[in-house]
Amino acid sequence: MLTRIINILKEQLYPISLYSRQIAGTIVLLLVTRMLSVHDYGLMRSYVAIVSFWLMFANLGYNEYILVSSKNVVREVQLKIGLFIINAILIMFLIGFGGMLSPLESKLIFILVLIRTFFDGTFFGIMLPYYQASHRFNLISWINIFYSVMTIIIALVSFLLHLSLAKFLFLGIILGLFNFLQCSFYAKINYFLVFRHLKDIFSKLDKSIFAYSGVSICYYLYNQLPSVYSSLFVSKEDAALFFSAFAIAGIIGLLISAQVQKIVPEMINASKDKIKSIINSNMKFILTINTVILVFFVFFGKFLLNLLYGKAYYMQAYPMLLILTFSNISIAIAAIYGAYITASGNQKMKIQMQAEAIVITVVSLLLFFKLGIYAATIAYLLSATHIGVRYIIKTRQILKTIE
């Protein structure tokens, strides 16, 4: 029995490592919301939404493009990662420069949030193809677990010492920088080599990158527009409600990210029967887990909001929590089917479907504008449901064409 449990843990170490990051994020929320006022929390989360939107230009689907275009050839993957990491850093500096020229409430917090968000997500995404191509998921799993533990320690120290938001963010940046150097070392990314071989690396890029970029832009637009709307057009107190629900509902997104990152390499050049088997097994897995999560939120959502955020005010986000969780289940289903669309080299097919979702999002925000944060919630629900249905239909159409 013990041996079986150990084997299961080894097989699922990568999803577990991503869950460790979610747990760390939850603990950070629990502590930070007790450190900050509702206004300051809303301010921080609003800046996170804004910088996340602009940082999409630092990773326009490059992680998927690197893996598929390199056909899992590790050396080529390493060179492309180096190029796109350098590009991402330059874009981060441009965003920071733009922020300094903008009429922000706190430019310091904006810059710190920008750098921390870059280290917390953007570079991780671009670096991932190396671990996928080299099948070193155990290594990146332990890196994730280390990062999660250190994130919790930083939040706990900040809470106990009553550190300011700026100091908390600065400590997170130090951890992110260390993690950046660590990941680059293990992935053997030589940034100086990239500068010496720029011409050769650029020659390895092809036009398919525009399909990945288009899909990434469309995804961010329909997925993040509700968050950007909440950041700009409602009070910081109402924004805090939306983001509190959005953060908890995001646990489903983390689960699906782990599954998709593992199955895309498995689907490349796979047989029709194997593809169907991968899709079906992953669908059963995510639907079972996500249904349990949704039911748990139905019965304990209010309690969870009050527990995590430490203020009764956040219990008002309960209806949004349920709607956003259901929406993320639709996105999770779409992601499993969409993984094959990517692996089959048909990434450009996603652009039209996601463009439709953008139209749905924008129209919904305009129609329900007077509902405030519920306009954002409804827009997210409608666009997510549309994507789920469209991806299922398109994937089945592609599979029918395979002998």
Side-chain angles (χ1 to χ4, degrees):
M1 182 65 179
L2 180 60
T3 303
R4 185 179 179 184
I5 293 174
I6 292 174
N7 289 334
I8 292 174
L9 290 176
K10 286 181 178 179
E11 293 174 359
Q12 299 299 324
L13 183 61
Y14 184 63
I16 289 171
S17 75
L18 290 188
Y19 267 115
S20 74
R21 294 192 65 179
Q22 179 66 37
I23 292 170
T26 301
I27 294 174
V28 169
L29 281 177
L30 188 151
L31 296 172
V32 168
T33 51
R34 284 162 172 76
M35 291 164 48
L36 305 176
S37 66
V38 173
H39 177 273
D40 286 346
Y41 176 70
L43 177 71
M44 184 188 76
R45 289 295 304 178
S46 294
Y47 286 169
V48 170
I50 293 170
V51 302
S52 296
F53 178 82
W54 287 112
L55 279 173
M56 74 171 172
F57 294 103
N59 183 14
L60 291 173
Y62 300 144
N63 52 321
E64 293 178 330
Y65 168 76
I66 290 170
L67 184 67
V68 176
S69 66
S70 301
K71 300 186 185 302
N72 285 344
V73 177
V74 175
R75 181 57 178 166
E76 188 168 333
V77 166
Q78 290 170 319
L79 289 172
K80 289 180 179 177
I81 286 175
L83 175 66
F84 288 117
I85 287 287
I86 292 170
N87 175 70
I89 292 173
L90 293 175
I91 289 175
M92 179 183 66
F93 276 107
L94 289 176
I95 296 170
F97 181 72
M100 293 302 293
L101 298 178
S102 303
L104 297 169
E105 183 176 330
S106 175
K107 294 179 180 179
L108 173 62
I109 297 300
F110 178 83
I111 295 299
L112 293 175
V113 166
L114 169 64
I115 300 172
R116 186 179 183 275
T117 303
F118 173 83
F119 282 134
D120 195 47
T122 304
F123 105 85
F124 258 120
I126 301 176
M127 194 71 71
L128 183 63
Y130 166 77
Y131 298 96
Q132 291 174 297
S134 61
H135 302 289
R136 302 184 72 183
F137 278 102
N138 281 349
L139 177 56
I140 192 63
S141 297
W142 287 116
I143 289 174
N144 278 332
I145 291 171
F146 169 79
Y147 185 83
S148 302
V149 171
M150 292 305 299
T151 299
I152 293 172
I153 292 174
I154 287 173
L156 185 59
V157 169
S158 300
F159 176 73
L160 294 176
L161 298 181
H162 304 288
L163 298 182
S164 65
L165 175 58
K167 291 179 180 178
F168 164 71
L169 292 171
F170 184 72
L171 289 175
I173 290 171
I174 293 175
L175 172 61
L177 179 60
F178 173 81
N179 206 46
F180 174 85
L181 296 173
Q182 178 181 228
C183 287
S184 297
F185 172 78
Y186 284 122
K188 300 175 183 177
I189 307 299
N190 190 330
Y191 298 102
F192 296 104
L193 189 65
V194 171
F195 285 111
R196 290 203 300 266
H197 297 278
L198 274 177
K199 185 177 181 180
D200 181 53
I201 298 173
F202 275 114
S203 69
K204 295 180 181 296
L205 306 182
D206 57 67
K207 292 182 180 180
S208 68
I209 192 173
F210 295 112
Y212 289 89
S213 298
V215 168
S216 183
I217 291 172
C218 289
Y219 170 77
Y220 273 103
L221 286 176
Y222 83 78
N223 188 267
Q224 295 296 322
L225 275 178
S227 296
V228 174
Y229 164 87
S230 299
S231 301
L232 299 176
F233 298 109
V234 301
S235 69
K236 291 297 179 281
E237 288 73 17
D238 283 347
L241 287 178
F242 177 82
F243 290 119
S244 64
F246 197 86
I248 298 176
I251 187 173
I252 290 175
L254 191 63
L255 167 67
I256 196 60
S257 294
Q259 296 304 114
V260 170
Q261 288 165 11
K262 291 184 68 176
I263 66 177
V264 168
E266 295 175 11
M267 286 181 168
I268 295 176
N269 298 323
S271 66
K272 183 176 182 178
D273 289 338
K274 183 178 180 180
I275 291 166
K276 286 185 175 181
S277 175
I278 292 172
I279 290 175
N280 291 335
S281 62
N282 279 274
M283 280 297 296
K284 289 178 182 177
F285 176 71
I286 66 162
L287 285 178
T288 300
I289 298 296
N290 290 346
T291 300
V292 171
I293 291 172
L294 179 59
V295 172
F296 178 81
F297 286 168
V298 168
F299 289 101
F300 302 104
K302 286 187 177 180
F303 170 78
L304 188 62
L305 285 162
N306 191 30
L307 174 67
L308 292 179
Y309 295 99
K311 296 181 179 68
Y313 175 79
Y314 288 102
M315 294 173 67
Q316 298 178 55
Y318 172 72
M320 285 181 286
L321 173 62
L322 300 185
I323 296 172
L324 292 172
T325 301
F326 182 82
S327 304
N328 283 340
I329 292 176
S330 297
I331 291 177
I333 293 171
I336 293 297
Y337 283 91
Y340 175 64
I341 298 177
T342 297
S344 63
N346 290 297
Q347 188 79 345
K348 62 183 179 181
M349 290 184 177
K350 291 183 178 179
I351 296 177
Q352 178 183 342
M353 295 179 281
Q354 293 189 345
E356 295 165 0
I358 293 172
V359 173
I360 291 172
T361 300
V362 173
V363 171
S364 298
L365 289 173
L366 292 174
L367 286 176
F368 302 108
F369 186 83
K370 291 185 178 180
L371 296 180
I373 48 176
Y374 276 97
T377 308
I378 294 170
Y380 191 81
L381 170 66
L382 295 178
S383 62
T385 303
H386 175 79
I387 284 294
V389 173
R390 291 288 276 128
Y391 274 26
I392 291 173
I393 294 173
K394 182 58 66 174
T395 300
R396 289 179 175 175
Q397 289 175 345
I398 296 173
L399 286 173
K400 285 181 181 179
T401 65
I402 301 176
E403 294 294 336

